[in-house]
PDB file of all heavy atoms in Angstrom:
ATOM      1  N   HIS A   1      82.030  80.337  91.838  1.00 96.00           N
ATOM      2  CA  HIS A   1      81.544  81.320  91.048  1.00 96.00           C
ATOM      3  C   HIS A   1      81.401  82.657  91.887  1.00 96.00           C
ATOM      4  O   HIS A   1      81.942  83.729  91.590  1.00 96.00           O
ATOM      5  CB  HIS A   1      80.286  81.003  90.262  1.00 96.00           C
ATOM      6  CG  HIS A   1      80.372  80.172  89.132  1.00 96.00           C
ATOM      7  ND1 HIS A   1      81.539  80.362  88.269  1.00 96.00           N
ATOM      8  CD2 HIS A   1      79.762  79.177  88.501  1.00 96.00           C
ATOM      9  CE1 HIS A   1      81.433  79.543  87.212  1.00 96.00           C
ATOM     10  NE2 HIS A   1      80.243  78.820  87.380  1.00 96.00           N
ATOM     11  N   ILE A   2      80.607  82.568  92.930  1.00 98.00           N
ATOM     12  CA  ILE A   2      80.137  83.753  93.596  1.00 98.00           C
ATOM     13  C   ILE A   2      81.304  84.320  94.444  1.00 98.00           C
ATOM     14  O   ILE A   2      81.822  85.365  94.447  1.00 98.00           O
ATOM     15  CB  ILE A   2      78.844  83.668  94.430  1.00 98.00           C
ATOM     16  CG1 ILE A   2      77.698  83.246  93.557  1.00 98.00           C
ATOM     17  CG2 ILE A   2      78.598  84.848  95.115  1.00 98.00           C
ATOM     18  CD1 ILE A   2      76.472  82.966  94.270  1.00 98.00           C
ATOM     19  N   LEU A   3      81.742  83.307  95.428  1.00 97.00           N
ATOM     20  CA  LEU A   3      82.758  83.700  96.466  1.00 97.00           C
ATOM     21  C   LEU A   3      83.959  84.005  95.699  1.00 97.00           C
ATOM     22  O   LEU A   3      84.752  85.045  96.119  1.00 97.00           O
ATOM     23  CB  LEU A   3      82.971  82.678  97.565  1.00 97.00           C
ATOM     24  CG  LEU A   3      83.808  83.193  98.652  1.00 97.00           C
ATOM     25  CD1 LEU A   3      83.137  84.161  99.618  1.00 97.00           C
ATOM     26  CD2 LEU A   3      84.415  82.009  99.424  1.00 97.00           C
ATOM     27  N   ASP A   4      84.327  83.295  94.695  1.00 97.00           N
ATOM     28  CA  ASP A   4      85.627  83.534  93.891  1.00 97.00           C
ATOM     29  C   ASP A   4      85.561  84.895  93.305  1.00 97.00           C
ATOM     30  O   ASP A   4      86.573  85.552  93.086  1.00 97.00           O
ATOM     31  CB  ASP A   4      85.804  82.414  92.841  1.00 97.00           C
ATOM     32  CG  ASP A   4      87.160  82.229  92.329  1.00 97.00           C
ATOM     33  OD1 ASP A   4      88.122  82.787  92.973  1.00 97.00           O
ATOM     34  OD2 ASP A   4      87.286  81.751  91.242  1.00 97.00           O
ATOM     35  N   SER A   5      84.480  85.302  92.738  1.00 98.00           N
ATOM     36  CA  SER A   5      84.170  86.752  92.292  1.00 98.00           C
ATOM     37  C   SER A   5      84.432  87.849  93.374  1.00 98.00           C
ATOM     38  O   SER A   5      85.115  88.788  93.155  1.00 98.00           O
ATOM     39  CB  SER A   5      82.930  86.814  91.585  1.00 98.00           C
ATOM     40  OG  SER A   5      82.747  85.973  90.440  1.00 98.00           O
ATOM     41  N   LEU A   6      83.811  87.526  94.446  1.00 98.00           N
ATOM     42  CA  LEU A   6      83.835  88.542  95.544  1.00 98.00           C
ATOM     43  C   LEU A   6      85.162  88.686  96.257  1.00 98.00           C
ATOM     44  O   LEU A   6      85.462  89.745  96.866  1.00 98.00           O
ATOM     45  CB  LEU A   6      82.738  88.220  96.502  1.00 98.00           C
ATOM     46  CG  LEU A   6      81.175  88.264  95.993  1.00 98.00           C
ATOM     47  CD1 LEU A   6      80.292  87.855  97.067  1.00 98.00           C
ATOM     48  CD2 LEU A   6      80.985  89.719  95.616  1.00 98.00           C
ATOM     49  N   THR A   7      86.079  87.705  96.044  1.00 97.00           N
ATOM     50  CA  THR A   7      87.419  87.870  96.624  1.00 97.00           C
ATOM     51  C   THR A   7      88.174  88.975  96.003  1.00 97.00           C
ATOM     52  O   THR A   7      89.138  89.499  96.581  1.00 97.00           O
ATOM     53  CB  THR A   7      88.274  86.583  96.426  1.00 97.00           C
ATOM     54  OG1 THR A   7      88.371  86.289  95.083  1.00 97.00           O
ATOM     55  CG2 THR A   7      87.578  85.430  97.161  1.00 97.00           C
ATOM     56  N   LEU A   8      87.719  89.485  94.830  1.00 98.00           N
ATOM     57  CA  LEU A   8      88.325  90.707  94.200  1.00 98.00           C
ATOM     58  C   LEU A   8      87.927  91.933  94.888  1.00 98.00           C
ATOM     59  O   LEU A   8      88.626  93.091  94.628  1.00 98.00           O
ATOM     60  CB  LEU A   8      88.010  90.856  92.750  1.00 98.00           C
ATOM     61  CG  LEU A   8      88.856  89.944  91.748  1.00 98.00           C
ATOM     62  CD1 LEU A   8      88.685  88.374  91.983  1.00 98.00           C
ATOM     63  CD2 LEU A   8      88.481  90.271  90.292  1.00 98.00           C
ATOM     64  N   LEU A   9      86.972  91.975  95.710  1.00 97.00           N
ATOM     65  CA  LEU A   9      86.477  93.255  96.331  1.00 97.00           C
ATOM     66  C   LEU A   9      87.551  94.022  96.971  1.00 97.00           C
ATOM     67  O   LEU A   9      87.574  95.307  96.830  1.00 97.00           O
ATOM     68  CB  LEU A   9      85.314  92.832  97.358  1.00 97.00           C
ATOM     69  CG  LEU A   9      83.889  92.854  96.761  1.00 97.00           C
ATOM     70  CD1 LEU A   9      82.977  92.373  97.715  1.00 97.00           C
ATOM     71  CD2 LEU A   9      83.519  94.157  96.176  1.00 97.00           C
ATOM     72  N   PRO A  10      88.425  93.499  97.852  1.00 95.00           N
ATOM     73  CA  PRO A  10      89.398  94.251  98.577  1.00 95.00           C
ATOM     74  C   PRO A  10      90.390  95.014  97.554  1.00 95.00           C
ATOM     75  O   PRO A  10      90.703  96.142  97.746  1.00 95.00           O
ATOM     76  CB  PRO A  10      90.263  93.213  99.398  1.00 95.00           C
ATOM     77  CG  PRO A  10      89.224  92.168  99.690  1.00 95.00           C
ATOM     78  CD  PRO A  10      88.422  92.053  98.392  1.00 95.00           C
ATOM     79  N   CYS A  11      90.704  94.372  96.415  1.00 96.00           N
ATOM     80  CA  CYS A  11      91.469  94.993  95.406  1.00 96.00           C
ATOM     81  C   CYS A  11      90.722  96.104  94.731  1.00 96.00           C
ATOM     82  O   CYS A  11      91.221  97.137  94.434  1.00 96.00           O
ATOM     83  CB  CYS A  11      91.917  93.935  94.328  1.00 96.00           C
ATOM     84  SG  CYS A  11      93.278  92.977  94.860  1.00 96.00           S
ATOM     85  N   ILE A  12      89.385  95.852  94.401  1.00 96.00           N
ATOM     86  CA  ILE A  12      88.605  96.932  93.760  1.00 96.00           C
ATOM     87  C   ILE A  12      88.482  98.163  94.747  1.00 96.00           C
ATOM     88  O   ILE A  12      88.557  99.254  94.282  1.00 96.00           O
ATOM     89  CB  ILE A  12      87.220  96.325  93.462  1.00 96.00           C
ATOM     90  CG1 ILE A  12      87.222  95.109  92.557  1.00 96.00           C
ATOM     91  CG2 ILE A  12      86.237  97.415  93.001  1.00 96.00           C
ATOM     92  CD1 ILE A  12      87.499  95.434  91.134  1.00 96.00           C
ATOM     93  N   ASP A  13      88.387  97.884  95.922  1.00 94.00           N
ATOM     94  CA  ASP A  13      88.274  98.964  96.948  1.00 94.00           C
ATOM     95  C   ASP A  13      89.564  99.850  96.945  1.00 94.00           C
ATOM     96  O   ASP A  13      89.501 101.064  97.369  1.00 94.00           O
ATOM     97  CB  ASP A  13      88.038  98.405  98.420  1.00 94.00           C
ATOM     98  CG  ASP A  13      86.564  97.887  98.532  1.00 94.00           C
ATOM     99  OD1 ASP A  13      85.730  98.259  97.636  1.00 94.00           O
ATOM    100  OD2 ASP A  13      86.325  97.221  99.494  1.00 94.00           O
ATOM    101  N   SER A  14      90.688  99.247  96.508  1.00 94.00           N
ATOM    102  CA  SER A  14      91.917 100.030  96.585  1.00 94.00           C
ATOM    103  C   SER A  14      92.148 100.819  95.347  1.00 94.00           C
ATOM    104  O   SER A  14      93.000 101.648  95.264  1.00 94.00           O
ATOM    105  CB  SER A  14      93.097  99.022  96.604  1.00 94.00           C
ATOM    106  OG  SER A  14      93.137  98.329  97.770  1.00 94.00           O
ATOM    107  N   CYS A  15      91.175 100.618  94.365  1.00 97.00           N
ATOM    108  CA  CYS A  15      91.349 101.322  92.959  1.00 97.00           C
ATOM    109  C   CYS A  15      90.656 102.685  93.074  1.00 97.00           C
ATOM    110  O   CYS A  15      89.855 103.000  93.919  1.00 97.00           O
ATOM    111  CB  CYS A  15      90.625 100.532  91.910  1.00 97.00           C
ATOM    112  SG  CYS A  15      91.374  98.784  91.719  1.00 97.00           S
ATOM    113  N   VAL A  16      91.039 103.547  92.120  1.00 97.00           N
ATOM    114  CA  VAL A  16      90.488 104.857  92.008  1.00 97.00           C
ATOM    115  C   VAL A  16      89.074 104.655  91.701  1.00 97.00           C
ATOM    116  O   VAL A  16      88.606 103.651  91.057  1.00 97.00           O
ATOM    117  CB  VAL A  16      91.220 105.652  90.954  1.00 97.00           C
ATOM    118  CG1 VAL A  16      92.609 105.985  91.399  1.00 97.00           C
ATOM    119  CG2 VAL A  16      91.164 105.001  89.589  1.00 97.00           C
ATOM    120  N   SER A  17      88.196 105.690  91.865  1.00 97.00           N
ATOM    121  CA  SER A  17      86.754 105.643  91.493  1.00 97.00           C
ATOM    122  C   SER A  17      86.542 105.672  89.990  1.00 97.00           C
ATOM    123  O   SER A  17      87.397 106.306  89.279  1.00 97.00           O
ATOM    124  CB  SER A  17      86.002 106.816  92.197  1.00 97.00           C
ATOM    125  OG  SER A  17      86.470 107.986  91.794  1.00 97.00           O
ATOM    126  N   GLY A  18      85.541 105.076  89.618  1.00 98.00           N
ATOM    127  CA  GLY A  18      85.171 105.116  88.155  1.00 98.00           C
ATOM    128  C   GLY A  18      84.647 103.751  87.659  1.00 98.00           C
ATOM    129  O   GLY A  18      84.438 102.878  88.393  1.00 98.00           O
ATOM    130  N   ALA A  19      84.387 103.647  86.319  1.00 98.00           N
ATOM    131  CA  ALA A  19      83.761 102.516  85.697  1.00 98.00           C
ATOM    132  C   ALA A  19      84.758 101.344  85.749  1.00 98.00           C
ATOM    133  O   ALA A  19      85.926 101.442  85.648  1.00 98.00           O
ATOM    134  CB  ALA A  19      83.444 102.896  84.373  1.00 98.00           C
ATOM    135  N   VAL A  20      84.077 100.181  85.701  1.00 98.00           N
ATOM    136  CA  VAL A  20      84.656  98.827  85.624  1.00 98.00           C
ATOM    137  C   VAL A  20      84.283  98.144  84.338  1.00 98.00           C
ATOM    138  O   VAL A  20      83.298  98.089  83.828  1.00 98.00           O
ATOM    139  CB  VAL A  20      84.337  97.928  86.759  1.00 98.00           C
ATOM    140  CG1 VAL A  20      85.111  96.709  86.732  1.00 98.00           C
ATOM    141  CG2 VAL A  20      84.625  98.755  88.138  1.00 98.00           C
ATOM    142  N   LEU A  21      85.441  97.499  83.734  1.00 98.00           N
ATOM    143  CA  LEU A  21      85.230  96.570  82.460  1.00 98.00           C
ATOM    144  C   LEU A  21      85.560  95.212  82.986  1.00 98.00           C
ATOM    145  O   LEU A  21      86.755  94.964  83.522  1.00 98.00           O
ATOM    146  CB  LEU A  21      86.063  97.038  81.324  1.00 98.00           C
ATOM    147  CG  LEU A  21      86.070  95.987  80.258  1.00 98.00           C
ATOM    148  CD1 LEU A  21      84.656  96.080  79.480  1.00 98.00           C
ATOM    149  CD2 LEU A  21      87.183  96.296  79.140  1.00 98.00           C
ATOM    150  N   ASP A  22      84.688  94.240  82.847  1.00 98.00           N
ATOM    151  CA  ASP A  22      84.929  92.836  83.039  1.00 98.00           C
ATOM    152  C   ASP A  22      85.300  92.122  81.745  1.00 98.00           C
ATOM    153  O   ASP A  22      84.362  91.874  80.931  1.00 98.00           O
ATOM    154  CB  ASP A  22      83.817  92.242  83.857  1.00 98.00           C
ATOM    155  CG  ASP A  22      84.096  90.800  84.221  1.00 98.00           C
ATOM    156  OD1 ASP A  22      85.292  90.333  84.312  1.00 98.00           O
ATOM    157  OD2 ASP A  22      83.068  89.954  84.364  1.00 98.00           O
ATOM    158  N   MET A  23      86.518  91.757  81.558  1.00 98.00           N
ATOM    159  CA  MET A  23      86.983  91.195  80.291  1.00 98.00           C
ATOM    160  C   MET A  23      86.621  89.627  80.403  1.00 98.00           C
ATOM    161  O   MET A  23      86.879  88.944  81.360  1.00 98.00           O
ATOM    162  CB  MET A  23      88.346  91.348  80.014  1.00 98.00           C
ATOM    163  CG  MET A  23      88.876  92.760  79.886  1.00 98.00           C
ATOM    164  SD  MET A  23      90.671  92.836  79.188  1.00 98.00           S
ATOM    165  CE  MET A  23      91.542  92.067  80.586  1.00 98.00           C
ATOM    166  N   GLY A  24      86.036  89.132  79.238  1.00 96.00           N
ATOM    167  CA  GLY A  24      85.770  87.704  79.195  1.00 96.00           C
ATOM    168  C   GLY A  24      84.728  87.248  80.352  1.00 96.00           C
ATOM    169  O   GLY A  24      84.973  86.245  81.033  1.00 96.00           O
ATOM    170  N   THR A  25      83.696  88.010  80.367  1.00 97.00           N
ATOM    171  CA  THR A  25      82.746  87.843  81.529  1.00 97.00           C
ATOM    172  C   THR A  25      82.036  86.536  81.544  1.00 97.00           C
ATOM    173  O   THR A  25      81.570  86.051  82.468  1.00 97.00           O
ATOM    174  CB  THR A  25      81.776  88.954  81.585  1.00 97.00           C
ATOM    175  OG1 THR A  25      81.083  89.026  82.781  1.00 97.00           O
ATOM    176  CG2 THR A  25      80.731  88.790  80.460  1.00 97.00           C
ATOM    177  N   GLY A  26      81.953  85.765  80.447  1.00 96.00           N
ATOM    178  CA  GLY A  26      81.285  84.494  80.387  1.00 96.00           C
ATOM    179  C   GLY A  26      79.788  84.573  80.885  1.00 96.00           C
ATOM    180  O   GLY A  26      78.948  85.189  80.131  1.00 96.00           O
ATOM    181  N   ALA A  27      79.429  83.976  82.027  1.00 97.00           N
ATOM    182  CA  ALA A  27      78.064  84.071  82.550  1.00 97.00           C
ATOM    183  C   ALA A  27      77.795  85.260  83.404  1.00 97.00           C
ATOM    184  O   ALA A  27      76.849  85.271  84.070  1.00 97.00           O
ATOM    185  CB  ALA A  27      77.820  82.754  83.180  1.00 97.00           C
ATOM    186  N   GLY A  28      78.842  86.102  83.460  1.00 98.00           N
ATOM    187  CA  GLY A  28      78.738  87.394  84.234  1.00 98.00           C
ATOM    188  C   GLY A  28      79.643  87.319  85.546  1.00 98.00           C
ATOM    189  O   GLY A  28      79.264  88.095  86.478  1.00 98.00           O
ATOM    190  N   PHE A  29      80.543  86.454  85.493  1.00 97.00           N
ATOM    191  CA  PHE A  29      81.452  86.411  86.693  1.00 97.00           C
ATOM    192  C   PHE A  29      82.893  86.885  86.288  1.00 97.00           C
ATOM    193  O   PHE A  29      83.413  86.540  85.258  1.00 97.00           O
ATOM    194  CB  PHE A  29      81.614  84.915  87.156  1.00 97.00           C
ATOM    195  CG  PHE A  29      80.333  84.339  87.638  1.00 97.00           C
ATOM    196  CD1 PHE A  29      79.691  83.345  86.810  1.00 97.00           C
ATOM    197  CD2 PHE A  29      79.671  84.619  88.807  1.00 97.00           C
ATOM    198  CE1 PHE A  29      78.486  82.744  87.291  1.00 97.00           C
ATOM    199  CE2 PHE A  29      78.496  84.163  89.215  1.00 97.00           C
ATOM    200  CZ  PHE A  29      77.988  83.095  88.416  1.00 97.00           C
ATOM    201  N   PRO A  30      83.488  87.710  87.146  1.00 98.00           N
ATOM    202  CA  PRO A  30      83.064  88.290  88.415  1.00 98.00           C
ATOM    203  C   PRO A  30      82.168  89.585  88.304  1.00 98.00           C
ATOM    204  O   PRO A  30      81.828  90.090  89.324  1.00 98.00           O
ATOM    205  CB  PRO A  30      84.356  88.631  89.072  1.00 98.00           C
ATOM    206  CG  PRO A  30      85.260  89.166  87.956  1.00 98.00           C
ATOM    207  CD  PRO A  30      84.805  88.302  86.824  1.00 98.00           C
ATOM    208  N   GLY A  31      81.858  90.055  87.118  1.00 98.00           N
ATOM    209  CA  GLY A  31      81.190  91.229  86.893  1.00 98.00           C
ATOM    210  C   GLY A  31      79.987  91.524  87.708  1.00 98.00           C
ATOM    211  O   GLY A  31      79.756  92.552  88.424  1.00 98.00           O
ATOM    212  N   ILE A  32      79.049  90.664  87.547  1.00 98.00           N
ATOM    213  CA  ILE A  32      77.656  90.864  88.205  1.00 98.00           C
ATOM    214  C   ILE A  32      77.739  90.740  89.771  1.00 98.00           C
ATOM    215  O   ILE A  32      77.301  91.675  90.483  1.00 98.00           O
ATOM    216  CB  ILE A  32      76.668  89.906  87.716  1.00 98.00           C
ATOM    217  CG1 ILE A  32      76.216  90.225  86.273  1.00 98.00           C
ATOM    218  CG2 ILE A  32      75.387  89.818  88.565  1.00 98.00           C
ATOM    219  CD1 ILE A  32      75.190  89.396  85.619  1.00 98.00           C
ATOM    220  N   PRO A  33      78.442  89.870  90.416  1.00 98.00           N
ATOM    221  CA  PRO A  33      78.568  89.826  91.917  1.00 98.00           C
ATOM    222  C   PRO A  33      79.226  91.180  92.358  1.00 98.00           C
ATOM    223  O   PRO A  33      78.892  91.728  93.323  1.00 98.00           O
ATOM    224  CB  PRO A  33      79.506  88.596  92.193  1.00 98.00           C
ATOM    225  CG  PRO A  33      79.048  87.628  91.078  1.00 98.00           C
ATOM    226  CD  PRO A  33      78.981  88.570  89.808  1.00 98.00           C
ATOM    227  N   LEU A  34      80.323  91.643  91.638  1.00 98.00           N
ATOM    228  CA  LEU A  34      81.057  92.859  92.045  1.00 98.00           C
ATOM    229  C   LEU A  34      80.150  94.111  91.811  1.00 98.00           C
ATOM    230  O   LEU A  34      80.157  95.006  92.523  1.00 98.00           O
ATOM    231  CB  LEU A  34      82.271  93.003  91.230  1.00 98.00           C
ATOM    232  CG  LEU A  34      83.366  91.877  91.531  1.00 98.00           C
ATOM    233  CD1 LEU A  34      84.529  92.103  90.479  1.00 98.00           C
ATOM    234  CD2 LEU A  34      83.879  92.140  92.980  1.00 98.00           C
ATOM    235  N   CYS A  35      79.310  94.001  90.717  1.00 98.00           N
ATOM    236  CA  CYS A  35      78.361  95.192  90.581  1.00 98.00           C
ATOM    237  C   CYS A  35      77.350  95.210  91.750  1.00 98.00           C
ATOM    238  O   CYS A  35      76.986  96.327  92.232  1.00 98.00           O
ATOM    239  CB  CYS A  35      77.584  94.929  89.335  1.00 98.00           C
ATOM    240  SG  CYS A  35      76.588  96.310  88.810  1.00 98.00           S
ATOM    241  N   LEU A  36      76.863  94.105  92.204  1.00 98.00           N
ATOM    242  CA  LEU A  36      75.874  94.041  93.144  1.00 98.00           C
ATOM    243  C   LEU A  36      76.561  94.470  94.506  1.00 98.00           C
ATOM    244  O   LEU A  36      75.925  95.095  95.399  1.00 98.00           O
ATOM    245  CB  LEU A  36      75.417  92.526  93.474  1.00 98.00           C
ATOM    246  CG  LEU A  36      74.407  92.063  92.327  1.00 98.00           C
ATOM    247  CD1 LEU A  36      74.377  90.518  92.401  1.00 98.00           C
ATOM    248  CD2 LEU A  36      73.088  92.627  92.531  1.00 98.00           C
ATOM    249  N   ALA A  37      77.867  94.206  94.689  1.00 97.00           N
ATOM    250  CA  ALA A  37      78.512  94.535  96.012  1.00 97.00           C
ATOM    251  C   ALA A  37      79.050  95.971  95.985  1.00 97.00           C
ATOM    252  O   ALA A  37      79.719  96.375  97.058  1.00 97.00           O
ATOM    253  CB  ALA A  37      79.575  93.468  96.265  1.00 97.00           C
ATOM    254  N   THR A  38      79.092  96.627  94.926  1.00 97.00           N
ATOM    255  CA  THR A  38      79.639  98.014  94.882  1.00 97.00           C
ATOM    256  C   THR A  38      78.623  99.034  94.179  1.00 97.00           C
ATOM    257  O   THR A  38      77.533  98.552  93.785  1.00 97.00           O
ATOM    258  CB  THR A  38      80.937  98.044  93.927  1.00 97.00           C
ATOM    259  OG1 THR A  38      80.587  97.803  92.593  1.00 97.00           O
ATOM    260  CG2 THR A  38      81.885  97.050  94.456  1.00 97.00           C
ATOM    261  N   GLU A  39      79.096 100.299  94.164  1.00 96.00           N
ATOM    262  CA  GLU A  39      78.170 101.216  93.524  1.00 96.00           C
ATOM    263  C   GLU A  39      78.683 101.698  92.187  1.00 96.00           C
ATOM    264  O   GLU A  39      78.232 102.584  91.553  1.00 96.00           O
ATOM    265  CB  GLU A  39      78.153 102.551  94.450  1.00 96.00           C
ATOM    266  CG  GLU A  39      77.526 102.230  95.832  1.00 96.00           C
ATOM    267  CD  GLU A  39      76.092 101.719  95.814  1.00 96.00           C
ATOM    268  OE1 GLU A  39      75.385 102.330  94.917  1.00 96.00           O
ATOM    269  OE2 GLU A  39      75.618 100.930  96.586  1.00 96.00           O
ATOM    270  N   ARG A  40      79.678 101.040  91.577  1.00 98.00           N
ATOM    271  CA  ARG A  40      80.386 101.332  90.368  1.00 98.00           C
ATOM    272  C   ARG A  40      79.460 100.930  89.229  1.00 98.00           C
ATOM    273  O   ARG A  40      78.611 100.048  89.309  1.00 98.00           O
ATOM    274  CB  ARG A  40      81.721 100.628  90.290  1.00 98.00           C
ATOM    275  CG  ARG A  40      82.792 101.159  91.246  1.00 98.00           C
ATOM    276  CD  ARG A  40      84.001 100.404  91.064  1.00 98.00           C
ATOM    277  NE  ARG A  40      85.079 100.683  92.168  1.00 98.00           N
ATOM    278  CZ  ARG A  40      86.024 101.492  91.825  1.00 98.00           C
ATOM    279  NH1 ARG A  40      86.182 101.939  90.724  1.00 98.00           N
ATOM    280  NH2 ARG A  40      86.936 101.725  92.825  1.00 98.00           N
ATOM    281  N   SER A  41      79.704 101.531  87.995  1.00 98.00           N
ATOM    282  CA  SER A  41      79.201 101.047  86.860  1.00 98.00           C
ATOM    283  C   SER A  41      80.057 100.087  86.183  1.00 98.00           C
ATOM    284  O   SER A  41      81.209 100.172  86.275  1.00 98.00           O
ATOM    285  CB  SER A  41      78.806 102.347  85.911  1.00 98.00           C
ATOM    286  OG  SER A  41      80.078 102.876  85.540  1.00 98.00           O
ATOM    287  N   PHE A  42      79.383  99.125  85.526  1.00 98.00           N
ATOM    288  CA  PHE A  42      80.029  98.074  84.923  1.00 98.00           C
ATOM    289  C   PHE A  42      79.790  97.724  83.446  1.00 98.00           C
ATOM    290  O   PHE A  42      78.576  97.890  82.922  1.00 98.00           O
ATOM    291  CB  PHE A  42      79.825  96.695  85.720  1.00 98.00           C
ATOM    292  CG  PHE A  42      80.443  96.391  86.996  1.00 98.00           C
ATOM    293  CD1 PHE A  42      80.356  97.288  88.073  1.00 98.00           C
ATOM    294  CD2 PHE A  42      81.497  95.520  87.007  1.00 98.00           C
ATOM    295  CE1 PHE A  42      80.943  97.096  89.337  1.00 98.00           C
ATOM    296  CE2 PHE A  42      82.258  95.324  88.175  1.00 98.00           C
ATOM    297  CZ  PHE A  42      81.973  96.173  89.358  1.00 98.00           C
ATOM    298  N   THR A  43      80.752  97.427  82.656  1.00 98.00           N
ATOM    299  CA  THR A  43      80.551  96.829  81.352  1.00 98.00           C
ATOM    300  C   THR A  43      81.045  95.349  81.387  1.00 98.00           C
ATOM    301  O   THR A  43      82.232  95.163  81.732  1.00 98.00           O
ATOM    302  CB  THR A  43      81.310  97.664  80.317  1.00 98.00           C
ATOM    303  OG1 THR A  43      80.726  99.003  80.295  1.00 98.00           O
ATOM    304  CG2 THR A  43      80.993  97.020  78.942  1.00 98.00           C
ATOM    305  N   LEU A  44      80.178  94.505  80.899  1.00 98.00           N
ATOM    306  CA  LEU A  44      80.619  92.998  80.946  1.00 98.00           C
ATOM    307  C   LEU A  44      80.817  92.632  79.418  1.00 98.00           C
ATOM    308  O   LEU A  44      79.967  92.578  78.669  1.00 98.00           O
ATOM    309  CB  LEU A  44      79.693  92.189  81.510  1.00 98.00           C
ATOM    310  CG  LEU A  44      78.957  92.735  82.865  1.00 98.00           C
ATOM    311  CD1 LEU A  44      77.939  91.736  83.457  1.00 98.00           C
ATOM    312  CD2 LEU A  44      80.058  92.901  83.870  1.00 98.00           C
ATOM    313  N   LEU A  45      82.099  92.434  79.088  1.00 98.00           N
ATOM    314  CA  LEU A  45      82.555  91.986  77.772  1.00 98.00           C
ATOM    315  C   LEU A  45      82.865  90.657  77.492  1.00 98.00           C
ATOM    316  O   LEU A  45      83.506  90.027  78.246  1.00 98.00           O
ATOM    317  CB  LEU A  45      83.766  92.993  77.516  1.00 98.00           C
ATOM    318  CG  LEU A  45      84.317  92.937  76.039  1.00 98.00           C
ATOM    319  CD1 LEU A  45      83.484  93.544  74.992  1.00 98.00           C
ATOM    320  CD2 LEU A  45      85.812  93.658  75.969  1.00 98.00           C
ATOM    321  N   ASP A  46      82.309  90.170  76.349  1.00 97.00           N
ATOM    322  CA  ASP A  46      82.627  88.717  75.960  1.00 97.00           C
ATOM    323  C   ASP A  46      82.568  88.789  74.345  1.00 97.00           C
ATOM    324  O   ASP A  46      81.744  89.574  73.793  1.00 97.00           O
ATOM    325  CB  ASP A  46      81.582  87.806  76.544  1.00 97.00           C
ATOM    326  CG  ASP A  46      82.265  86.464  76.583  1.00 97.00           C
ATOM    327  OD1 ASP A  46      82.304  85.751  75.490  1.00 97.00           O
ATOM    328  OD2 ASP A  46      82.788  85.965  77.692  1.00 97.00           O
ATOM    329  N   SER A  47      83.233  87.933  73.866  1.00 96.00           N
ATOM    330  CA  SER A  47      83.242  87.760  72.310  1.00 96.00           C
ATOM    331  C   SER A  47      82.115  86.875  71.873  1.00 96.00           C
ATOM    332  O   SER A  47      81.864  86.837  70.705  1.00 96.00           O
ATOM    333  CB  SER A  47      84.520  87.368  71.854  1.00 96.00           C
ATOM    334  OG  SER A  47      84.879  86.116  72.312  1.00 96.00           O
ATOM    335  N   VAL A  48      81.562  86.107  72.752  1.00 96.00           N
ATOM    336  CA  VAL A  48      80.567  85.083  72.342  1.00 96.00           C
ATOM    337  C   VAL A  48      79.222  85.596  72.472  1.00 96.00           C
ATOM    338  O   VAL A  48      78.664  85.995  73.602  1.00 96.00           O
ATOM    339  CB  VAL A  48      80.680  83.698  73.142  1.00 96.00           C
ATOM    340  CG1 VAL A  48      79.617  82.734  72.773  1.00 96.00           C
ATOM    341  CG2 VAL A  48      82.045  83.257  73.079  1.00 96.00           C
TER     342      VAL A  48
END
């Protein structure tokens, strides 16, 4: 859950600045770990 989420960090760092949407966030992965590890704003989206 945690490390698997944080492996996205290098890709996120390559992206333009701005807000992040986490699709199908479930229990908040990877959105919450990435939010904790960056300064970006996040929207965590799920249909449930």
Side-chain angles (χ1 to χ4, degrees):
H1 279 326
I2 301 176
L3 192 74
D4 198 19
S5 296
L6 294 174
T7 58
L8 274 65
L9 273 174
C11 284
I12 300 286
D13 289 342
S14 299
C15 298
V16 295
S17 61
V20 182
L21 174 71
D22 182 25
M23 298 190 297
T25 195
F29 300 108
I32 287 179
L34 292 174
C35 184
L36 288 163
T38 69
E39 298 297 322
R40 294 176 185 259
S41 62
F42 278 73
T43 299
L44 312 184
L45 182 68
D46 204 281
S47 62
V48 181

